[in-house]
Every structure is written in C-alpha cells, then in structure tokens.
Amino acid sequence: MKITLKFLGRFEVCRDGHPIDHWPRQKTQALLELLASERGRCFTPDQLIEMLFLELDPTKAINNVQKRVSELRRMLEPDLTKGTQSQFVLQTKSRMQGYYFSKTVLCSVDIEEFQQHLDAAQLAEQAECWMKAIESYQRAIELYQGDFLSDDLYEEWTITPRERWCEKYLLALAHLAECHAHLGQLPQAIRCCERVLERDPLNESIYRQKMLYHCHAGEYPKAIVTYQVCVEKLSKQLKVEPTRETHQLHEQILKHEIPTLLHAIPNNLPKSWTSFIGRTREMAEIKQLLTGGVQGHTPLRLLTLTGVGGCGKSRLALEVSTDLLEHYIDGIWLVELASIFDSNLVLQAVASTLGAREQAAQPLLATISDYLHAKQLLLVLDNCEHLVDTCAQLVRALLKTCPKLQILATSREPLGIIGETVWSVPSLTTPVPKPALNLKILMQFESVRLFIERARASETHFELTEENAFAVTQVCHQLDGIPLAIELAATRVRALPIEEIAERLNDRFQLLVGGNRAALARHQTLQATMDWSYQLLSEQEQALLRRLSVFSGGWTFEVAEKVCADEVVKPHEVLALMTHLVDKSLVVMEEKDEEGRYRLLETVRQYGHEKLLKSGEAEFIRNHHLDFCLRFAEEAEPKLQGAEQKIWLNRLEVEHDNLRAALAWSLEGNNKVEAGLQLAGVLWRFWEVRGHFTEGRRWLEEALTKTPARTMARAKALKGAGNLAIDQGDYTAARSLYQESLIIQRELGDKPGITASLNNLGNVAYMQGNYAEARSLYEESLAIKRELGDQRGIAISLGNLGNVAREQEDYVSARSFHEESLIIKRELEDKRGIAFSLNNLGEVARAQGDYVSARSFHEESLIIKRELRDKQGITFSLNNLGYVVYAQGDYVAARAFYQESLSIQRELVDKQRIAESLQGLAGVDCAEGQCERATQLLAAAKSLRDAIDAVLEPAEQIEYDRIMATLRAGLGEEAFARVWAKGAAMTLQQAIEYALTKDARKCD
C-alpha cells in the first residue's frame, strides 16, 4: 500500500492512487495533516490537545484524541484489524508517550520532495553547476501549487509552517534568478524577481536584483522605475526609506555606471516584517565580538546570547546576522530549533538547512563536519534551551573539526562548553514613571519607542501625549522592558485605554494574550513563554524559583539559604540551584557594594508567586521570610545610633521592600500578627531617619489595630508611632499613643518603660509650649530613675529639665540641670551622653547671647562625636555651630558648618536634617545678599519637608518666616514666585549639589 499526500495548495490524500475524499470528521483530517507534515516527530497527547482540541475540557479532549487516532488508522488502512499495529500512525512506548507518522513506510509527500529538490539545487549552486541548479529549483517551484494547506485557514497550527514553506518558495525563486543571471539569461532572471515581488512586495533585496538585471540588459529606464516602485512601497507600507545600499545602486544606474552582477551570499535568513527598535550598542558589541572588531581580539568561535524568555534573543541574532552577511563568503545559515522536540532530529535539522546530504555508511555528524570543514560560515542555532545537551555535543564536535566555522547560538541558558562566550541580552532601556515627563526624552527610551510603534500598528491613531505618557512609562517599567511583553501589551490598545492596561498589569498573565498568530505558541502569550521556561527546569529548580518569588527587591545567597531551604531544597544545594537559575536567565545577579545580590524580574516574580500559591508552600515560605526580616531588623536596631549607623541604615534601605512584604504578610489576618507588631516596633527609628514618617505610622497603626493585647511589644510599637507622630507635628496623636504605652507599662510593672513614656509625654508638652506640664512629667520620670539608680536615665531627665528651664528663660536653672547631667555622664564615662549635655549647655549659652561659650560647648561636643564616629550626632553639632557663628555674623564659617553637615546627611539620607541644613544655608545666602540662591534653597527645603510630612519646630518656623519676608522684599513678588518654583522643582540630589556649591551671584 502506498499513501500520497499533497500539502502545497489544497490538501489531497490518495491510497494506492485512489483519493480519499470523505472524512468522518474534520479533526481526523486535521490530525493527519499535523502528523504527516512532520513525519517522525512524536506529538504528546497534550500537544495534540493544544493544537486541535483546546476548546474542550481535558477529559473530552483526550477522548477525542484517541478516537481520532483510531479513525485515522482505519482511513489509511481499512483492512486493519483490532489489536493490529498500524504501519502509518504509531504510538511510542518510551517514557514520553505520544503519536507519530512513520518515516519508514512507503509514502509520497510533496513538501518532502520540495525540500529534496531545494537541497539538490543548493548543492549544485555551491558547486557552480548552474544548469543543474536551475533544473532542481524549477522542480521545487513546480511542486508549489499553493500555500501550505491553504484551505485550512481555521487551524491555527498551520500558520507557522505556511509562512515557513512560503519563505522557502520565495527563496527558491530568488536563487533561481541568480542562477539564470550567471548564465546571462536576464529575461528569465527578471521574471523570477517579478514572481517574488508579486508575493513579497516589500523585499528590498529583490528590487536591487531586478534593478541590476535590467541594467545589464540595457534597460536603464526599467531599472529606474523599479527603484521608484521600491521607494513607494516601503514608504507607503512601512514608512521607511530604502537602505544606503539601494540608494547607491540607484545613483550608479543614473550615471550609467554598470555594477558587476552581484553574487548573493548564500543564506536562509528570513525577512523581518516589523521594524527593529533600539539595541544599537548591543548590535555593535556583538558584531565586534564575531568579527574581531575589538583591537587585540580574535573573532569568537562560539557566542551564545542568553536571556529571559521574550527578551529578544532571536530577533537580535537575526538582525546581527543580516548585517554581517558580507563577512562570510559561504553564508549565514539559521537553524530554528524551537519546533524540534526530539533531540535525535537536531542533526537532521542542521543537515537539511545546510543542504548536506546524508551519505551511506557515514554518520550524519561526520557528513555535516565534512561539508563545513573548509567553509567560512556562520551557523546560527536558535532556541537551544530545550535541547541544550545535544546542541552542546554538536557544537563541540563542529568547532573541533571545522576551523573556519563560527556559531551564534540563542538559549535561555549557556551551552556550557569550553570556548563559549556568554552574552546576556538586557531588557530594553526603560524610564522610571514620574509626573511631568518630557515626551522627547521619553522617546529616547527603547521600550517606549517599541510600545508606541507596535501600538500604532494595532491602533493607527495612537500617539504618545502628555496625558498618556505616565501610563505608557508605567507599562514599560512594570514589564521590565521585555520586548515580548511590551508588544503584547501594545496590542491591547485596540480594546483598552492605556491607563487601564497599566492598572491591569498585576494580572498580566491574563491580560497579555493574543500576540502574533504566526509566532510559536509559546510566544503568543506571556503565560506560555513563562510556562516553557518553567517546564524545562528540574523539580528542585522549580521549587527554588517559586520560593524566591517571596522576595521583593532582591536577596543575597545567605538569605535565600535561610528562607528557601527545607527537605526538598536542602541548604547546601541552594547555591548550585540558584546558579542554574541565573544560567537559565530566570534569576538576575548584580554586584552591589562588592556583594552579590540576586533578583527576579517582576514578570518572573509574579509567575513564580502564582506557582508558589498553587504549590501549597506559600504559608511555610512566607513565614520563613517574615522570621528572617524580624531577626534582621532586631540585629540592626541597636546599630542605628553608633559608628555603624550608615552601614545599617543602608542595609535596611536595601531590604525595605522585603520588610514591607513581610509586614504585609504578617498583617493579613494569619497567626503572625504579633510578629508583625514586633517588626514594626523595631523599624520606627529607620523610618524616622530616612523620612518615611507617613509609611511608618501606617504600618504601626495597622499592627496596633490588629494586636490589641497589652504586651511589651505593643508598648514599644506605641512609642515608635508616637515618635513618628511628633516628627510630623501631630502632637495630639503622639500624646494619645504615649499615654496608652504608659498605661501598659504601669500594668506590667515595667518601671524603665514607665520613665521612658513619662519622658516622651514631657517632650510633647515641651514642644507644645506647655512647660509647666513638661517639667512635672520630667520630674516624675526623674524620681523613678533615682529610685532605680538609673544614672544614665537620671542624666537624660536632668537634661530635659534644663531644656524646659531654658525655654522659660530661667538660664541659671537650665545651666545647673545640664551641668549636673554632665557630671553624671562623665562619671559613667558615657561619651555620647557627655556630648549631648555639652550640646544642651551650648544651646543655653546661645539663648543667653553668650556665643563664645556656646561655640566652645558645641565644638567640644563635636570632638567627642567625631571620636565616636556618630555621624548623625556630628550633623547635629555642625548645624548648632552653624546657628551660633551665623548669629555672630561669620557667614563663611556658618556656610562651612552647614555644608559639612549636609554632606554627611547625604550619606545617611536623613531627610529631615537635610531640610534643616538647606534652610540654614538659605539663611546664610540671604544674609550675603544672594537672594535667588537663598530662595531656591528655601523652596527645596520646604518641598522636602512637604514630601515627608515633616513640620518645623517653633524656633525654626520663626527663622523661616524671617528669611521668607526678606527674600520677597529683595526680589519682588513676581521674581520671587519664578525662582521659588525653580527651587521647588529640584530633586533631592539636585538641591544638595546646588547647596554644596558656592554661588557668588547677588541680587540687586
């Protein structure tokens, strides 16, 4: 029995010369088309369901597959008895069960014959046997009776092979034209070009061929007309101009300078139907690596482009290859491996692409090696990740035996062989979303340009405007600059406003569907792309990836080991597994402050989070993560007031997103709310120094609401919340919080805690100007401290009483309290406390107008703080010295003190103190007559305080109002408003840099 199958044009099946016209069901015919079009490839039931029965539920789908297979066997072999093995449609017995159409039985398939004629033609062309090549190309072209399964437009799986066979057909016509041209048969060559352009009217290289053939035939006017048609087609449909090469050929023809016939460099690179955005630097670097363009470097033999799914590896490789054609006399050949699932078919795919015919009694690898041995050729292996071991063995063998061969591979993980250079493909450049974005600057970002262009292809009227710019940047930023994700998002502008797309990206795997129908299935949705990568991982790698999604903002190896390890992923295995995930482009490693830090792109993190939720491990891992964050914060807490404060403030800032995630989890209503209260209570000082007042208060208030039990942890959290409330001038809330803390401490008999709460309540009264109440509270706190023998606490209370006396202008008592406090601290050898008391004595002297003594006290305090390396304390002393010398009229010294303080505050990112220094410098500039500069600095200080919801203390407010009045008078209202707006628009770093630069300009 012989079966004949025709795929090119209308599908036809003949059995022993008789057509099979009637099929029991359309899906039975579709099953035959799918299996027979790729004879020998095994399709799993899941793959058949995805391609043919995706609309059915799983149970019905698998039943349909089995029934259609049985029907197909009976259609092809009507005499097949039950239980007998079909010779055509076979089922595998291996680990990976599935169905395939046998390659060994007698069967005639037109696409196979078409490929055989192409292979023969290419071999003849390479041997310069032009007539033989023409004959083989013509036979192949005669077989092309129409597009692949052109009557099966309803079957989505046919789209990709239809495009592939059409490209082969057009390539055959182009090569046939060249062969005719070599024999001087120019009319035939021109007709071949015209046939290509009938199907592909945007093929610029074919226009050049046709122009050249007309020129050699003496038909100059027709050559000019061909150029004009090319210009018109490219402009109208792609809105681009012809390339420099086409323009140059046109200019030569105008001058009747007849170029030599082009010998087209052999290749099978497909034509790109969409423009290529950005990647200028990447293109240049990769081309230099392959051509040896970097001085002192030889061309690389093996370069592998790696990156997360959808990052554009294949497209980048294609663009680089197209640009490098002239560097390889034997051509560039693309082997697409994405659709190959059987590793045994890799060699056949390479041989078929190259046109290397299998020889009898010789292994196919040896045949390929012999074919490539003397050729200067670039072999592009695209999508190697699912066949990485087989590809590695093939590449190793070819590089060993073919000295002129270079290989460019794309894969989500390296091939891992000696001599390989791995080049990680980055995401497209992406802006950070922020208000008032400049459209011209935005269009410099690759991700924005890609989104706009693809959006216009979907909705022709789409434009980047001031109204939608923020939403566009949100989309590009949230999608990590991944080209596939951005292109998928851009297609949604047909149905959704861009603002809604940005809002829905938290559910991106449902939103980003419906991409290019001609693309591979796994490139048509973001979900499918991630599924593909995930399925290629081992079970342990999958477990670690989904567990790593618990981190927000990254992690270190040591932290991953603590949080993610258990019986499945043991601690000693974490490093190796994480390295594998880095190699497979799913985890990103970055060097920060000489420390290796890892992170997930947000798209990968969201995917891993979904897998974590489905795995049943989420609670276990998130509790581990919370425990780590609590231990880390508790370790940092005592370090925030010493020599290591900058180090630990920065560490907490780096982990801030993780701390937020841990707090959110603890407060979701599970049994970890007490841990969340403890964590919030520990973090208040970090939030205070870094200016996160509002956020810190929100976390503390939520934790306090959900944990009403009167515990030490609650009392501590109440204290932290009260401190942040004071920072924002919310004295009513602060008093309430401190009072509740005091009640709990009295109930628990916590006398040290009682004294602290009394002291804090005294601070509230002091800041509200209620000095009598403040003095009473401080004295009650002092009495308990004396009872406890808490010398350090006694000294603090004496200092507070001294401050009250100072505000009451009782300077004798104030000095007495501070001096007694200083004596105790000297006895305790408490250097930090000594410095604090000296500072208080300095403030008393300043209030009395004794600036000489005030400066002396503050300078001694500064010396001690420098010894302690207490940077935050140093800035306090420097600012205090700035106030003193400013009052003395020494503006040069005042500027130096404020600027040194500001430089240190920039390191600590202490936003409240930064605003204080900016205002101090504004006062100096105002006194020196630099009105514009002073106005800008004062506006920047005001904007910073507004941003962190901080308020001025009464004395600072008085000075602020005085400077404002002076500047308004000096500049005039119109100029003042203009300059103020300029200062208010400064970023934090811009304001600091401006403040640290001496500006000599003065106002009139």
Side-chain angles (χ1 to χ4, degrees):
M1 181 188 303
K2 180 181 178 181
I3 298 293
T4 301
L5 297 165
K6 291 185 179 180
F7 289 89
L8 298 173
R10 183 177 178 278
F11 181 65
E12 294 181 8
V13 186
C14 291
R15 184 180 58 231
D16 289 335
H18 301 289
I20 300 177
D21 294 326
H22 303 291
W23 294 88
R25 288 172 180 79
Q26 269 189 335
K27 291 295 184 182
T28 307
Q29 176 182 331
L31 178 65
L32 173 60
E33 292 170 350
L34 179 59
L35 296 176
S37 64
E38 296 194 48
R39 279 213 289 168
R41 173 185 168 185
C42 177
F43 289 85
T44 66
D46 285 346
Q47 289 170 330
L48 294 177
I49 289 170
E50 182 180 352
M51 293 178 172
L52 301 177
F53 302 103
L54 192 58
E55 72 282 0
L56 301 179
D57 66 64
T59 302
K60 289 184 178 180
I62 193 63
N63 288 337
N64 267 273
V65 168
Q66 293 168 350
K67 288 178 181 178
R68 301 296 82 76
V69 168
S70 297
E71 285 178 353
L72 180 56
R73 286 168 170 164
R74 290 194 298 272
M75 291 294 294
L76 297 179
E77 300 172 273
D79 298 329
L80 189 67
T81 59
K82 189 174 182 180
T84 306
Q85 176 68 59
S86 168
Q87 63 173 324
F88 288 105
V89 183
L90 306 177
Q91 186 170 357
T92 65
K93 303 295 183 183
S94 63
R95 176 177 59 84
M96 185 178 177
Q97 286 288 316
Y99 302 95
Y100 67 96
F101 195 94
S102 175
K103 291 191 71 171
T104 60
V105 298
L106 186 61
C107 187
S108 174
V109 185
D110 62 346
I111 54 176
E112 293 179 2
E113 293 177 15
F114 179 85
Q115 185 63 56
Q116 289 168 3
H117 289 310
L118 283 187
D119 294 343
Q122 288 171 357
L123 285 174
E125 191 176 1
Q126 290 163 13
E128 299 186 0
C129 298
W130 307 119
M131 287 301 298
K132 188 175 181 181
I134 289 172
E135 182 182 347
S136 295
Y137 277 128
Q138 286 176 335
R139 288 181 179 176
I141 290 165
E142 287 169 3
L143 281 171
Y144 200 89
Q145 297 298 305
D147 287 341
F148 178 84
L149 296 178
S150 56
D151 57 344
D152 279 352
L153 297 176
Y154 59 86
E155 291 291 357
E156 190 166 326
W157 71 267
T158 64
I159 296 173
T160 298
R162 184 175 300 132
E163 294 286 344
R164 185 174 69 247
W165 288 111
C166 182
E167 285 179 4
K168 289 176 180 286
Y169 165 66
L170 297 178
L171 189 65
L173 281 169
H175 280 271
L176 178 58
E178 291 180 10
C179 293
H180 279 304
H182 275 288
L183 296 178
Q185 299 169 352
L186 297 175
Q188 293 93 325
I190 291 169
R191 178 56 190 147
C192 288
C193 291
E194 290 171 345
R195 291 178 67 181
V196 174
L197 293 173
E198 287 170 5
R199 288 295 302 267
D200 184 6
L202 302 176
N203 195 323
E204 190 176 348
S205 64
I206 296 298
Y207 282 110
R208 285 198 301 273
Q209 273 186 255
K210 187 169 181 284
M211 288 164 63
L212 190 61
Y213 299 153
H214 279 307
C215 187
H216 275 269
E219 300 170 343
Y220 285 93
K222 290 184 178 180
I224 300 299
V225 169
T226 301
Y227 171 77
Q228 292 169 343
V229 172
C230 174
V231 171
E232 180 184 354
K233 293 288 186 182
L234 294 178
S235 174
K236 185 175 181 180
Q237 298 191 39
L238 295 181
K239 293 183 172 55
V240 298
E241 292 185 356
T243 62
R244 180 173 54 85
E245 188 178 359
T246 306
H247 280 308
Q248 287 178 340
L249 179 58
H250 177 235
E251 290 172 1
Q252 287 178 300
I253 293 172
L254 287 174
K255 298 175 183 177
H256 281 224
E257 296 175 357
I258 303 177
T260 58
L261 277 172
L262 301 174
H263 174 63
I265 296 172
N267 72 89
N268 69 333
L269 300 177
K271 179 177 178 60
S272 297
W273 295 100
T274 56
S275 59
F276 188 66
I277 303 294
R279 303 290 198 193
T280 303
R281 181 189 61 80
E282 292 91 337
M283 288 270 291
E285 187 173 334
I286 294 170
K287 287 192 285 187
Q288 285 181 334
L289 291 171
L290 288 171
T291 61
V294 181
Q295 189 173 6
H297 291 74
T298 57
L300 295 178
R301 299 288 309 284
L302 170 60
L303 179 63
T304 302
L305 306 185
T306 63
V308 70
C311 73
K313 301 180 294 291
S314 298
R315 184 65 189 273
L316 181 57
L318 176 60
E319 293 297 321
V320 167
S321 300
T322 302
D323 275 10
L324 290 181
L325 265 173
E326 63 185 33
H327 291 273
Y328 298 94
I329 60 174
D330 294 305
I332 299 179
W333 299 94
L334 171 67
V335 182
E336 297 179 299
L337 300 172
S339 60
I340 296 176
F341 296 90
D342 185 347
S343 59
N344 295 318
L345 298 178
V346 172
L347 283 176
Q348 293 180 9
V350 175
S352 176
T353 298
L354 294 172
R357 288 190 172 183
E358 192 168 355
Q359 303 296 318
Q362 185 181 44
L364 187 53
L365 177 58
T367 301
I368 295 171
S369 297
D370 289 347
Y371 177 83
L372 293 173
H373 176 72
K375 287 184 167 56
Q376 182 188 347
L377 179 146
L378 178 66
L379 185 64
V380 183
L381 300 177
D382 191 28
N383 291 294
C384 300
E385 56 269 359
H386 58 305
L387 302 163
V388 68
D389 292 337
T390 302
C391 289
Q393 294 172 11
L394 169 65
V395 169
R396 187 186 297 111
L398 292 180
L399 292 179
K400 184 177 180 180
T401 58
C402 308
K404 298 181 181 179
L405 175 68
Q406 288 178 266
I407 295 176
L408 175 62
T410 75
S411 177
R412 298 187 190 183
E413 62 176 300
L415 301 184
I417 63 177
I418 295 173
E420 178 184 31
T421 296
V422 179
W423 201 92
S424 180
V425 176
S427 296
L428 299 176
T429 56
T430 304
V432 176
K434 58 183 180 181
L437 293 158
N438 183 296
L439 300 188
K440 288 184 179 180
I441 294 176
L442 275 185
M443 288 301 290
Q444 295 174 13
F445 289 94
E446 296 167 336
S447 58
V448 173
R449 296 207 309 274
L450 178 65
F451 183 89
I452 299 303
E453 178 153 329
R454 299 300 187 263
R456 284 173 181 164
S458 181
E459 172 54 63
T460 55
H461 300 297
F462 186 87
E463 295 290 342
L464 181 68
T465 65
E466 292 182 356
E467 288 73 24
N468 66 20
F470 183 70
V472 169
T473 57
Q474 279 186 306
V475 170
C476 295
H477 184 74
Q478 290 185 72
L479 294 177
D480 305 301
I482 298 174
L484 172 64
I486 290 171
E487 290 185 336
L488 291 172
T491 66
R492 310 305 291 167
V493 299
R494 286 195 305 264
L496 296 172
I498 181 62
E499 293 78 10
E500 191 169 342
I501 294 173
E503 290 176 7
R504 291 190 177 200
L505 280 178
N506 286 332
D507 192 17
R508 66 189 62 187
F509 295 108
Q510 294 299 318
L511 175 68
L512 303 185
V513 298
N516 176 11
R517 291 170 61 86
L520 291 167
R522 68 169 181 271
H523 285 164
Q524 292 181 28
T525 71
L526 197 59
Q527 177 77 47
T529 299
M530 291 306 307
D531 285 342
W532 171 256
S533 292
Y534 190 75
Q535 290 161 6
L536 294 176
L537 303 177
S538 69
E539 289 185 12
Q540 281 188 307
E541 290 168 344
Q542 289 178 351
L544 182 58
L545 179 65
R546 61 178 179 258
R547 293 174 184 186
L548 291 173
S549 70
V550 76
F551 292 106
S552 293
W555 66 89
T556 63
F557 154 64
E558 293 80 7
V559 173
E561 199 174 44
K562 293 173 184 175
V563 173
C564 299
D566 66 350
E567 297 79 13
V568 177
V569 178
K570 296 180 172 57
H572 68 275
E573 297 173 319
V574 170
L575 179 59
L577 291 171
M578 201 152 66
T579 302
H580 293 164
L581 294 176
V582 171
D583 288 341
K584 294 174 181 180
S585 306
L586 290 168
V587 169
V588 178
M589 190 188 81
E590 300 168 330
E591 289 286 340
K592 286 191 175 180
D593 299 325
E594 300 182 355
E595 178 184 54
R597 190 166 178 85
Y598 302 82
R599 67 180 176 91
L600 297 175
L601 295 178
E602 183 58 22
T603 296
V604 179
R605 194 196 67 77
Q606 285 194 24
Y607 180 86
H609 180 66
E610 289 185 7
K611 291 294 183 182
L612 182 65
L613 293 177
K614 292 177 182 177
S615 71
E617 302 171 335
E619 184 173 356
F620 165 75
I621 294 299
R622 294 185 78 174
N623 284 343
H624 267 216
H625 181 254
L626 172 60
D627 292 343
F628 153 72
C629 288
L630 180 56
R631 290 194 304 272
F632 173 72
E634 288 175 337
E635 181 184 3
E637 185 182 24
K639 310 286 180 64
L640 298 184
Q641 298 184 79
E644 297 179 277
Q645 60 190 173
K646 177 189 172 184
I647 295 171
W648 282 92
L649 283 168
N650 287 341
R651 286 177 180 174
L652 286 168
E653 194 71 67
V654 167
E655 298 295 350
H656 201 181
D657 284 338
N658 276 316
L659 296 169
R660 289 167 171 144
L663 282 166
W665 164 247
S666 69
L667 301 176
E668 280 182 6
N670 56 56
N671 58 0
K672 289 291 183 177
V673 287
E674 186 66 28
L677 181 70
Q678 289 177 293
L679 179 55
V682 168
L683 288 173
W684 75 265
R685 189 178 296 278
F686 161 68
W687 285 325
E688 180 183 56
V689 174
R690 287 296 164 91
H692 304 301
F693 302 142
T694 302
E695 179 183 0
R697 289 183 70 183
R698 180 176 60 79
W699 285 119
L700 283 160
E701 287 166 6
E702 185 177 355
L704 288 165
T705 301
K706 294 186 175 181
T707 51
R710 296 180 176 276
T711 61
M712 294 288 285
R714 181 175 181 81
K716 183 175 183 178
L718 287 163
K719 169 193 166 184
N723 292 343
L724 293 175
I726 282 182
D727 288 323
Q728 293 188 307
D730 189 352
Y731 301 124
T732 301
R735 183 187 295 275
S736 175
L737 292 162
Y738 289 144
Q739 284 174 338
E740 185 183 347
S741 179
L742 178 60
I743 291 169
I744 294 172
Q745 287 154 344
R746 288 194 193 280
E747 289 177 356
L748 297 174
D750 175 20
K751 289 192 174 183
I754 292 169
T755 65
S757 289
L758 288 168
N759 187 73
N760 289 334
L761 284 165
N763 290 341
V764 173
Y766 172 83
M767 290 180 178
Q768 290 182 302
N770 192 343
Y771 301 124
E773 181 186 356
R775 184 163 190 159
S776 174
L777 290 163
Y778 288 146
E779 286 174 343
E780 185 180 353
S781 175
L782 176 60
I784 298 172
K785 290 173 179 175
R786 291 193 190 280
E787 178 189 332
L788 294 171
D790 178 6
Q791 294 296 100
R792 193 181 306 277
I794 291 169
I796 291 172
S797 290
L798 287 167
N800 288 336
L801 285 165
N803 290 336
V804 171
R806 186 191 73 207
E807 293 298 330
Q808 293 177 317
E809 298 184 4
D810 182 359
Y811 300 125
V812 174
S813 296
R815 185 182 290 270
S816 175
F817 282 129
H818 289 314
E819 286 175 344
E820 184 181 353
S821 176
L822 178 59
I823 290 168
I824 295 171
K825 290 171 180 174
R826 290 195 191 279
E827 289 175 357
L828 293 170
E829 297 182 353
D830 176 7
K831 288 191 173 184
R832 191 180 309 280
I834 292 169
F836 194 74
S837 289
L838 288 166
N839 176 74
N840 285 333
L841 284 165
E843 289 300 282
V844 171
R846 180 163 71 100
Q848 290 178 297
D850 182 0
Y851 299 124
V852 174
S853 296
R855 182 165 185 171
S856 176
F857 284 129
H858 286 312
E859 285 176 340
E860 186 178 353
S861 175
L862 177 59
I863 290 169
I864 295 171
K865 289 172 180 175
R866 290 195 193 278
E867 289 177 5
L868 294 171
R869 293 186 295 166
D870 177 5
K871 291 193 173 184
Q872 194 172 39
I874 290 169
T875 65
F876 289 157
S877 289
L878 288 168
N879 278 351
N880 286 333
L881 282 164
Y883 298 144
V884 170
V885 298
Y886 172 76
Q888 291 177 302
D890 188 351
Y891 303 133
V892 174
R895 183 183 300 280
F897 285 131
Y898 285 133
Q899 287 186 332
E900 183 183 354
S901 176
L902 185 58
S903 296
I904 298 170
Q905 289 154 5
R906 176 167 56 179
E907 293 181 29
L908 298 175
V909 199
D910 185 343
K911 294 178 181 177
Q912 194 169 23
R913 301 283 86 77
I914 289 172
E916 184 180 330
S917 293
L918 290 174
Q919 179 168 320
L921 285 164
V924 173
D925 288 326
C926 180
E928 290 185 329
Q930 298 185 72
C931 299
E932 289 197 8
R933 179 179 170 83
T935 302
Q936 289 192 55
L937 290 176
L938 198 63
K942 175 70 164 55
S943 294
L944 179 54
R945 286 195 181 98
D946 289 345
I948 63 176
D949 293 326
V951 295
L952 287 167
E953 292 184 11
E956 291 177 316
Q957 186 66 52
I958 292 171
E959 177 66 7
Y960 174 86
D961 293 340
R962 186 193 66 77
I963 299 171
M964 281 280 285
T966 304
L967 294 174
R968 284 181 184 275
L971 288 172
E973 286 299 327
E974 184 178 343
F976 175 83
R978 174 178 52 78
V979 178
W980 181 272
K982 187 176 180 181
M986 284 183 177
T987 66
L988 178 61
Q989 292 306 317
Q990 286 172 338
I992 292 172
E993 290 296 335
Y994 184 63
L996 293 178
T997 304
K998 178 72 170 69
D999 191 333
R1001 291 175 297 171
K1002 300 180 188 288
C1003 62
D1004 296 332

